[in-house]
């Protein structure tokens, strides 16, 4: 087991044992998040819904299905990104999370961001955008409608990171106009991701793979 996997195990345990806000009393399973601990892109949604509460996994309901379709527009597979939420326990009746609940969950969210250390954070919806841009990044949050599709460079835990705010997929399920904007934003995301060869500092070509480079 790698050091990162060990650290992730500790974060999951502290979320399971968390009583920092009242949501732990009504949830079935906490939903810490899932994906690659080395992901270049992290998606942060709002809070688990019914299916997520039942399974303990993020974005497995109808909004998750749309998220998968959007991921493919950005050339990404679910296994290679990391997905979490600003609130890890389901609010009763799927109501919006309160600022106090987001704040209470903040210690977990911050640990997750530090551990995965993604190149790009995509915020899904208003609550997530406000928290990442304003609280974590120290930037100005102008609401999701005005902020979406405009990538920001923010200092997040000492390093400059790209943040791309967009709508929450659930908002686009029955609204084709919002869905078109989300698709636009995921196509933009594809362009923001630094190709692997640039990250590793050397472009590999066929000769490298044949051992002749
Ligand atoms: N909506 C969210 O914000 N998060 C989930 O995990 C599922 C639906």
């Amino acid at each position: 087991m790698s050091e990162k996997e060990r650290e992730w195990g500790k974060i999951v345990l502290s979320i399971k044992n968390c009583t920092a806000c009242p949501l732990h009393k009504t949830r079935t399973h906490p939903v810490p998040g899932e994906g690659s601990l080395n992901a270049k892109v992290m998606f942060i949604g709002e809070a688990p819904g019914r299916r997520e509460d039942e399974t303990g996994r993020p974005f497995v309901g109808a909004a998750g299905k749309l998220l998968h379709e959007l991921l493919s527009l950005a050339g990404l597979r679910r296994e290679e990104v990391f997905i979490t939420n600003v609130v890890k326990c389901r609010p009763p009746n799927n109501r919006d999370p309160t600022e106090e609940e987001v704040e209470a969950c903040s210690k977990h969210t911050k640990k997750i961001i530090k551990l995965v250390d993604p190149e790009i954070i995509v915020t899904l919806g208003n609550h997530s955008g406000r928290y990442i841009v304003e609280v974590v990044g120290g930037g100005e949050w102008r609401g999701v409608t005005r902020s979406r599709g405009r990538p920001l460079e923010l200092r997040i835990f000492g390093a400059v990171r790209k943040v791309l705010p967009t709508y929450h997929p659930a908002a686009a399920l029955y609204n084709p106009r919002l869905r078109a904007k989300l698709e636009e934003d995921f196509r933009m995301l594809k362009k923001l991701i630094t190709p692997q060869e640039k990250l590793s500092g050397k472009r590999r070509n066929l000769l490298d793979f044949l051992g002749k480079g």
Side-chain angles (χ1 to χ4, degrees):
M1 191 187 274
S2 71
E3 190 50 46
K4 268 195 165 185
E5 284 165 339
R6 244 191 302 278
E7 195 50 42
W8 175 240
K10 286 190 206 161
I11 295 173
V12 171
L13 195 62
S14 70
I15 292 172
K16 279 189 181 149
N17 294 330
C18 184
T19 55
C21 84
L23 295 182
H24 74 280
K25 295 184 199 156
T26 48
R27 57 131 158 101
T28 314
H29 294 108
V31 182
E34 66 180 25
S36 165
L37 297 178
N38 297 311
K40 281 201 255 180
V41 187
M42 175 179 279
F43 294 84
I44 307 189
E46 291 190 355
R50 189 169 58 83
R51 285 286 296 142
E52 291 76 21
D53 179 66
E54 281 166 6
T55 57
R57 300 182 56 208
F59 282 95
V60 288
K65 189 166 170 287
L66 176 53
L67 180 61
H68 291 178
E69 290 171 27
L70 292 164
L71 283 175
S72 69
L73 290 180
L76 294 166
R77 285 169 295 117
R78 182 168 170 129
E79 318 81 77
E80 67 183 315
V81 302
F82 197 93
I83 306 176
T84 188
N85 288 300
V86 282
V87 164
K88 316 293 176 286
C89 297
R90 183 193 186 202
N93 304 317
N94 286 357
R95 66 158 169 74
D96 280 357
T98 65
E99 280 193 21
E100 290 74 27
E101 287 157 357
V102 174
E103 186 50 41
C105 220
S106 178
K107 60 176 180 203
H108 305 304
T109 315
K110 286 179 178 167
K111 278 191 199 157
I112 295 171
I113 297 171
K114 282 184 195 164
L115 178 70
V116 178
D117 193 18
E119 180 193 9
I120 306 174
I121 297 177
V122 180
T123 62
L124 304 170
N126 195 53
H127 296 280
S128 165
R130 187 196 65 80
Y131 171 75
I132 294 297
V133 172
E134 206 171 87
V135 181
V136 180
E140 188 199 356
W141 181 243
R142 302 167 74 226
V144 71
T145 311
R146 285 205 277 169
S147 306
R148 66 140 282 269
R150 295 167 189 256
L152 301 164
E153 298 222 329
L154 296 173
R155 188 164 283 279
I156 294 193
F157 309 128
V160 176
R161 296 277 178 253
K162 292 177 215 165
V163 175
L164 180 64
T166 190
Y167 290 117
H168 194 287
L173 280 178
Y174 306 103
N175 185 333
R177 206 180 50 80
L178 290 194
R179 187 181 169 132
K181 303 265 186 218
L182 257 171
E183 289 177 357
E184 211 177 279
D185 295 349
F186 273 71
R187 286 198 190 92
M188 172 184 289
L189 171 62
K190 186 172 190 174
K191 297 192 195 129
L192 290 178
I193 303 169
T194 308
Q196 193 57 41
E197 58 266 31
K198 279 200 193 152
L199 284 180
S200 58
K202 181 176 185 293
R203 200 181 172 86
R204 304 189 79 197
N205 60 30
L206 190 59
L207 290 179
D208 288 320
F209 289 106
L210 294 172
K212 295 175 183 168

